[in-house]
Amino acid sequence: GNSVTQMEGPVTLSEEAFLTINCTYTATGYPSLFWYVQYPGEGLQLLLKATKADDKGSNKGFEATYRKETTSFHLEKGSVQVSDSAVYFCALSPTTSGTYKYIFGTGTRLKVLA
Amino acid sequence: SQTIHQWPATLVQPVGSPLSLECTVEGTSNPNLYWYRQAAGRGLQLLFYSVGIGQISSEVPQNLSASRPQDRQFILSSKKLLLSDSGFYLCAWGGGGNEQFFGPGTRLTVL
């Protein structure tokens, strides 16, 4: 079946540090992949997406590359800010599902210290 | 542009009481609609999805139900709440490009 595995959190970094949050997936076919961010007490916001192998999604300094050979979609940012503190969710949407039912990872909490 | 609303924002209910959470979407027609639950410190669990008026699919057996009385309205209900129903409930809509867009959520505490 389809699944998403994220690295366990929390991840604590100093401001301006490099961020990597690992995400690997299991899926049949060619799923679309997403990163969502959730700030405290809020809903999820789409951060970036990739729909085919080798696509790179990017937004607000974050980026992730769809790696089919390693079934990965790791989130990276070169220099984090305190305002990036949030929970980050990796998700996949199976292309065989016309209803686009997402499979979410368990989320990784990021805390950035000033 | 499209917007999604949920209410109430927070709710505290006693065990055994009924529940009704509402979600409405503006600026789009015939969206796919989704209800998720996020338990404390955990990921998102898909509860229900709907591809059209009156069409509801349940993903997880539970004492919750969903209805879609209008194209852009999605309601989550329960006749009798359990303690385990506490959590953060998120509604989402999906467009043609397979992204999902989430509402602000409802924090439900069952005491």
Side-chain angles (χ1 to χ4, degrees):
Chain A
N2 300 313
S3 67
V4 174
T5 302
Q6 284 183 242
M7 62 187 291
E8 295 258 347
V11 174
T12 303
L13 296 173
S14 298
E15 207 165 24
E16 299 184 2
F18 184 86
L19 168 70
T20 300
I21 299 179
N22 290 338
C23 172
T24 57
Y25 69 90
T26 302
T28 55
Y30 301 91
S32 295
L33 300 173
F34 306 85
W35 276 102
Y36 280 82
V37 58
Q38 184 180 34
Y39 298 102
E42 298 184 8
L44 275 69
Q45 299 176 26
L46 178 63
L47 184 59
L48 52 84
K49 70 172 185 176
T51 58
K52 61 183 187 296
D54 300 325
D55 265 3
K56 178 185 283 188
S58 61
N59 186 25
K60 299 180 181 179
F62 291 90
E63 58 182 35
T65 301
Y66 189 141
R67 302 284 189 200
K68 188 161 180 63
E69 64 276 12
T70 55
T71 62
S72 66
F73 192 54
H74 304 322
L75 182 68
E76 296 180 335
K77 187 176 185 183
S79 175
V80 293
Q81 306 300 312
V82 171
S83 58
D84 293 327
S85 298
V87 180
Y88 292 82
F89 291 92
C90 184
L92 72 81
S93 174
T95 52
T96 55
S97 169
T99 54
Y100 304 121
K101 292 189 290 180
Y102 278 20
I103 309 298
F104 279 92
T106 54
T108 302
R109 183 175 299 277
L110 170 65
K111 185 174 183 180
V112 180
L113 305 176
Chain B
S1 64
Q2 302 86 1
T3 56
I4 179 169
H5 305 279
Q6 287 186 245
W7 63 89
T10 60
L11 191 60
V12 180
Q13 292 284 93
V15 169
S17 63
L19 173 73
S20 181
L21 303 181
E22 189 165 345
C23 170
T24 59
V25 181
E26 296 177 357
T28 186
S29 297
N30 197 31
N32 290 340
L33 295 173
Y34 307 84
W35 277 112
Y36 292 87
R37 177 169 59 204
Q38 185 179 22
R42 300 181 65 180
L44 280 79
Q45 179 184 41
L46 179 63
L47 301 176
F48 301 94
Y49 69 92
S50 171
V51 299
I53 296 174
Q55 301 179 62
I56 308 295
S57 295
S58 174
E59 290 294 295
V60 182
Q62 60 214 320
N63 70 322
L64 298 171
S65 62
S67 61
R68 185 169 177 175
Q70 300 179 44
D71 182 44
R72 288 168 288 178
Q73 184 184 32
F74 204 24
I75 297 172
L76 183 69
S77 304
S78 174
K79 292 182 180 178
K80 288 186 177 182
L81 284 169
L82 306 173
L83 286 174
S84 58
D85 291 324
S86 293
F88 193 48
Y89 288 82
L90 290 159
C91 180
W93 72 274
N98 87 356
E99 299 110 337
Q100 288 186 20
F101 301 95
F102 286 78
T106 295
R107 173 79 57 195
L108 172 66
T109 303
V110 182
L111 302 175

